[in-house]
Amino acid sequence: MNQTQQLLDVSTNALLHLEFQKLDKHLSLAERNNILVKYFKRIAKSNRYRTIKKSAKQWIAHGRHPDGDLEALLNNEVEHLIQTCSTDLYRFVGLVGDIESKLKTKVQYSKAHNIDLNARYGNVLVCVVDEDLTSSFDDDGLMIKSTQILFIGSAEHKEIFSEAIELDGNFQSVIAYEDDNHLRVELFRL
């Protein structure tokens, strides 16, 4: 899970935890802050959440401040994170990260006529093929034109790549070219 998604999950869960506490009795601002600070102390100490430890500590400091309203801050944070996590560009970056993780490689970016077929990281070559990737997404992060990802490697690795594309579910994929060791997939916005 990437950092942004983890921040969203933890802040949403903290607010949910607070809502359950509110069911028992009316809580003052100081009591609400105290409940959230206790929640984030566990997060800040856990190795599972080391990528968001800095944010958890900032939330703790905000909750301890006499004028701080941690609940309001978290509500704003959740709203911002939802907008960030829901863009096509964010999902595309997530897909690329997932491919890199599953294939233990680095995804490259190149124009079609400049691809270096020998520049492999590990056992495979995975390359986003686009004349101008930034023009594929608008200012709000929505995909406005398709882009392609090229895979070159063994049949076993090709299956892993293909499965990562299919399981993603954020983009419609169409096979542009395929043979034993090559697969080029065109991705479209759903």
Side-chain angles (χ1 to χ4, degrees):
M1 182 182 305
N2 64 42
Q3 182 181 12
T4 306
Q5 187 64 50
Q6 197 168 48
L7 280 170
L8 178 60
D9 289 352
V10 167
S11 55
T12 302
N13 287 335
L15 288 169
L16 184 61
H17 173 70
L18 180 62
E19 287 302 315
F20 279 111
Q21 299 298 316
K22 287 180 181 179
L23 292 175
D24 293 334
K25 65 177 184 167
H26 176 73
L27 300 171
S28 68
L29 177 62
E31 290 171 322
R32 292 191 315 258
N33 281 345
N34 190 37
I35 289 168
L36 291 169
V37 165
K38 285 180 183 177
Y39 183 87
F40 286 121
K41 278 183 175 180
R42 289 181 297 159
I43 300 298
K45 291 178 182 176
S46 173
N47 279 337
R48 179 178 176 201
Y49 299 106
R50 68 181 173 275
T51 60
I52 62 165
K53 190 174 281 196
K54 182 178 178 181
S55 295
K57 288 181 177 182
Q58 289 172 342
W59 290 335
I60 290 168
H62 186 82
R64 288 181 174 160
H65 192 274
D67 298 327
D69 185 349
L70 188 51
E71 181 181 13
L73 176 79
L74 289 174
N75 280 320
N76 290 335
E77 186 74 20
V78 165
E79 187 176 316
H80 171 72
L81 290 168
I82 287 172
Q83 290 174 354
T84 301
C85 291
S86 65
T87 66
D88 293 335
L89 178 59
Y90 179 84
R91 291 178 183 139
F92 182 76
V93 170
L95 172 62
V96 167
D98 189 41
I99 291 169
E100 288 179 335
S101 174
K102 288 181 178 178
L103 291 172
K104 297 174 179 53
T105 189
K106 294 288 182 193
V107 174
Q108 302 173 51
Y109 167 78
S110 179
K111 295 178 180 180
H113 57 278
N114 291 340
I115 296 174
D116 181 358
L117 298 176
N118 296 317
R120 295 180 184 213
Y121 293 96
N123 297 322
V124 298
L125 173 114
V126 181
C127 184
V128 175
V129 182
D130 205 320
E131 291 299 313
D132 181 14
L133 187 59
T134 57
S135 69
S136 294
F137 300 92
D138 68 10
D139 292 340
D140 295 325
L142 296 177
M143 182 180 261
I144 54 176
K145 71 178 188 97
S146 67
T147 191
Q148 294 188 3
I149 301 179
L150 171 67
F151 169 87
I152 301 175
S154 70
E156 177 185 335
H157 288 110
K158 186 173 104 174
E159 184 64 33
I160 295 169
F161 171 78
S162 180
E163 185 176 298
I165 296 288
E166 289 175 23
L167 291 178
D168 178 64
N170 292 309
F171 302 98
Q172 178 182 2
S173 61
V174 175
I175 296 175
Y177 176 80
E178 183 175 18
D179 66 21
D180 291 341
N181 298 323
H182 298 78
L183 179 60
R184 192 173 73 236
V185 177
E186 188 160 3
L187 299 177
F188 298 90
R189 182 171 192 248
L190 285 175

